[in-house]
Amino acid sequence: MVDIEIEIDGSVVHGHSGESIISIADREGIDIPRFCYHKKLSVAANCRMCLVDVEGNPKPQPACSTPASAGMRVHTNNEKAKASQKAVMEFLLINHPLDCPICDQGGECELQDVAMEYGSDVSKFNEGKRIVADKGIGALIQTDMTRCIHCTRCVRFGAEVAGIVEMGATGRGEELKIEPFLSEGIQSELSGNMIDVCPVGALTSKPFRYEVRSWQMNSVESVARHDLVGSNIFTQTHKGKVKRVVARDNESVNETWISDRDRFSYEGLTNENRALTPKIKVKGEWQEVSWEAALEAATSGIKKNSAEAFGALASKNATLEELYLLQKLTRGLGSENLDTRLDVANPSSTSALETTISLAELEAIDHALIVNSYLRLEQPMINHRIRKATLNGAKVSTVNSLTFDFNYRVANSVLSAPQNTLATLSGVLKALLEANSLALPDYLKDTKVDQAQIDIASTLSAAENAVVVLGEQVNSNPCADQVAKLVTQIAKASNSKTLNASATGNTLAAEKVSFKPNGGLNAAQMFTANLNTFVLLDVYPTYDCVDSTAAIEDLSRDDAFVVAINSFEDESVLGFADVILPLASFYETSGTHINIENVAQSYGASVKAAGDSKPGWKVLKVLADLLELPGFDYTDSPQVADDALSLSPNVATSEVDIIAMEVPNIATVWQYTPYASDVLTRHAQSLQQTQIGQISEAVVSAATAKILELSQGDCYKGVPVNINETVAEGCVFVHTNQARQR
Amino acid sequence: MNEVCFKNIDKENPSSLATYEATGGYSVWRKILHGELSPEAILGELKTSGLRGRGGAGFPTGLKWSFMPRNQDGQKYVVCNSDEGEPGTCKDRDILRFNPHSVIEGMAIAGYVMGATVGYNYIRGEFMEPYYRFEEALKEAYDAGLLGCDIGDSEVNFDLHTHLGAGAYICGEETALLESLEGKKGQPRFKPPFPANVGLYGMPTTINNTESFASVPDILARGGQWFADLGVPNSGGCKLFSVTGHVTKPANFEIPMGTPFSELLEMAGGLREGRTLKAVIPGGSSTPVLPAEDAMKMTMDYDSIEQVGSMLGAGSVIVMDDTTCMVAALTRLAHFYYDESCGQCTPCREGTGWMYRVLKRIMDGQGKMQDLDLLTSVQDKIMGNTICALGDAAAMPVESFIRHFRDEFEYYIKHGKSMVTKVNSDG
């Protein structure tokens, strides 16, 4: 890239040779009107709004597609440029309905804004306007295609970013329509970004439809905490309610996109199942009481029992502050029984894998080995970065128990049930070591290597910037620690980086404050140790616990006193809890999220907590005070965050041995759809209505189904059985939005 | 007359390889295969010949070929644009029917000069007979060992494929043609980058009109100077003109550039009895219309036609006599562009429909006087603001029809009917 000087509107500006005029102008703060141009999408040059006068050219040139060259003299607002821009504006408006008063885009519409400067007061168009019939495209995006100006941003977003060719321009001339090719709607975990890129009211947010005018809302900077990225967002609020969530640019985190989960989960905040008032259970009956009474009941219940019989369980999505205070409270009481890993088959064997790659670096990889993950749905923004790399030629290999619909081509795909995953990865590792003539550790001596494993190994060897990703499904594997060790060894042998996506949400905050037992009981052990006191922080055992039935039975024991600091109430919580302290949910509390790059992002509350609920850090601080524990003299949450962030977690480096596993012949992999991954999303109605939200199937091969005596349409652990051959032999892959059953 | 592309038209079986070879066909190609002709020499002759692109834009062919990064690694392509869709033109159809081998040889030579080993001939969807004739000729050429890989141990490679379009006018625009050839929707690409750098499948590509390719073998066989001398300065050689409309013998005529229009009109049998010349569109429907007195002043070459206010275009001469209602004629033309706009970019998508609707309203007797200024203003706003030339093509007739025949439009608006009372028996 050569630095060049060009002149725009008389001032000398700098750019790179070949850079578009509009990109230089944008950097220099020179305003050029545009509709089809979007910095993250390919150039289309079809709206013609950015026509500018380039000296030496008889015709005006589009600033978006004209590369700058040294000495070029550009006029963005002389008579010639203005005439062209006004001409295009006039054409865009003739068939636009101008129904701004009833259009949700009103007030934030690019067409409206640009028309203010370039449009005319009176239209010369006296013919009938074009009307376009809408095809519904699902529960999230509202279409009003009569308003469409055919800029194709949504089409390009779909094809280039989301990797789905579902929106297209059909017909020609005036009959050109932007519509889905199929009438099944847009099935993408990133579809909501189409709303953001649409410059007009053709694509708007369906849940937000007719809620409130855009200018009546406050935009509050916040951070989404559903996944490992912590996408930057604006929560847009009106009268104390979150009305909409939109993306906030942060190039190093989420660029300019957010996932649908981050965008639409806010709907759950107003769900009828929210816990809104403090409650205590008196003789089996719930009584709504004051905060003082509820806290008093909680305190005296906790004080009754010994510290050894106290256990704390927290959600992975809790804030850093909440996790810090709850662990401090637990440890202050003298207990080491605390955990967030409720969904892990064997919490004493967690996947200790360090993440050694940044989000930006993911775009530069040339190979990704994805182990035990449907990354596309689990971590949409991480998957998006990998997809970008594949567009530049990166190859992807997978070791999974089900064939997933990735939005890029998978070069090597190995199906492997959990009980065979160690053998598969051992084969890959052995092939790698042998190819590089490295010494084999003992545990690989008897390992057999097949061609598929050699293929993965040779792709890894050939790559210069590879990454090995370990995903959530490893949690269904009782030997997750061994899988993680093999992944580490594979990365070491192939000089690859690693990315641990096995636990989501704010897991790294839990790591930071050591929210796991150091000598005490882990999540699974707590339910078999006859503990007398439990404090739950936004935990819902029906969904969150691997063996939900056992967990609920244990929590329901007569001698178990359960304090649920929860944002939602469900039947099981109401069944086993003794005190419910209503918790402020996402966006209702200040907090801190630590993302995959170990970046701590703090945010304030966007709205006041619903009902009588209170931010978790306040509840825990007061509870600790009432328990007369020292060190809780906090007056605001940043003080808590400061203390939490100053901790250096004790990294337990226990040696993991690769040993023969004790696993069932037929394993179950339990994977939630992205819209059942946490309590807020589970209560967001629109997300539940999407095709992704409604996935619920137990996929099993014909041979395995025969052993289990299952047939198509039966239920396996409450989930409908789907027999096909996309799944590894010897396992049932449950992909569902339903609560866990035995 | 009929010296180059049509030289075999009166012979028996004009499209056959035997006929083509009997008049010196493939002699240049064989010279190349024997290593007796360098790309530089060919480019030199082409530049001397003054051959300009016969598809309408009139860009010098030799210069266009020299833009190709000949020595760049990777695949390069030559593409022949036989998507002849301009209303009024039918010359390429007859080249494909009667002299297909000249196109094959011209493309092969182009491939050799530009280092392109693969060529595509994109033929208009409606051209079934020309398509089969061309395919037949292609088979003959392959059977005779004139095409393929390492042709006659010469280490020269050239493969040629035929592609039949699906009937969209816009695919005659060279970059829309490339999109269509790639299997995508036929929509023009913005330029730069130009096809010579980023063309078919992203590789360097040169696209020429059928007639341009067909002229190349004879130019090289007989010399660039010979060709140039056939015509006039700045308009070398001879050219095919398709004369249609109100003439008694509409046909294609290959005549030297610079021939007076009056002579061409005579060749086409002149006007019918009792009719007088009213207007002429000299280069296809996209070029401005000329009133009779201007048309009679012109000679058929680039400069002369430009001087009288129009363009030579593809040489498609549409003759209109005094029975023509200019309002109806323009409305028909406007409908064509409205129908054929690809819809990709704003001015053309919205503007062509607007112009057609206003004209339709005038035809329906609902016109207003200010509509004429409106039409002029709309065409002016399309002009120069679009991705491809279709916008300009739609705009130019509107401007010229209203400028030259404003009284007729005003009469129609005032009276709700045409000024022309003489009834054309053609309807």
Side-chain angles (χ1 to χ4, degrees), chain A residues 641-658:
Chain A
D642 286 347
D643 276 7
L645 291 170
S646 68
L647 288 180
S648 33
N650 44 3
V651 187
T653 46
S654 57
E655 195 51 43
V656 178
D657 292 322
I658 306 293

Side-chain angles (χ1 to χ4, degrees), chain B residues 77-88:
Chain B
Y77 296 99
V78 286
V79 174
C80 175
N81 185 346
S82 298
D83 190 51
E84 185 179 43
E86 180 81 356

Side-chain angles (χ1 to χ4, degrees), chain A residues 87-94, chain B residues 346-347 350-351 354 378 381-382:
Chain A
V88 172
M89 192 70 231
E90 183 173 357
F91 285 131
L92 281 171
L93 289 178
I94 63 170
Chain B
T346 309
E350 307 293 340
W354 193 357
V378 173
K381 285 167 183 163
I382 300 175

Side-chain angles (χ1 to χ4, degrees), chain B residues 358 361-362 365-376 402 406-416:
Chain B
V358 173
R361 195 156 43 73
I362 294 174
Q366 305 290 315
K368 287 174 279 204
M369 231 19 119
Q370 57 267 39
D371 284 342
L372 295 182
D373 290 340
L374 177 63
L375 283 168
T376 313
I402 294 179
R406 194 175 180 102
D407 54 336
E408 232 178 276
F409 285 86
E410 285 174 355
Y411 183 94
Y412 210 124
I413 290 169
K414 207 177 277 173
H415 299 92

Side-chain angles (χ1 to χ4, degrees), chain A residues 397-457:
Chain A
S397 307
T398 60
V399 175
N400 275 330
S401 17
L402 185 67
T403 310
F404 297 116
D405 180 20
F406 284 101
N407 50 3
Y408 37 76
R409 209 178 79 80
V410 174
N412 312 299
S413 163
V414 175
L415 279 181
S416 174
Q419 64 270 32
N420 303 325
T421 302
L422 279 186
T424 306
L425 293 176
S426 298
V428 173
L429 178 58
K430 189 170 183 177
L432 261 175
L433 294 171
E434 281 177 344
N436 296 323
S437 315
L438 293 169
L440 293 182
D442 284 346
Y443 59 84
L444 293 179
K445 289 272 152 55
D446 300 327
T447 301
K448 290 191 184 71
V449 181
D450 67 18
Q451 190 54 45
Q453 293 154 4
I454 292 171
D455 288 346
I456 292 181

Side-chain angles (χ1 to χ4, degrees), chain B residues 376-394:
Chain B
T376 313
S377 124
V378 173
Q379 71 81 23
D380 186 48
K381 285 167 183 163
I382 300 175
M383 196 79 175
N385 289 338
T386 52
I387 291 178
C388 79
L390 194 142
D392 294 356

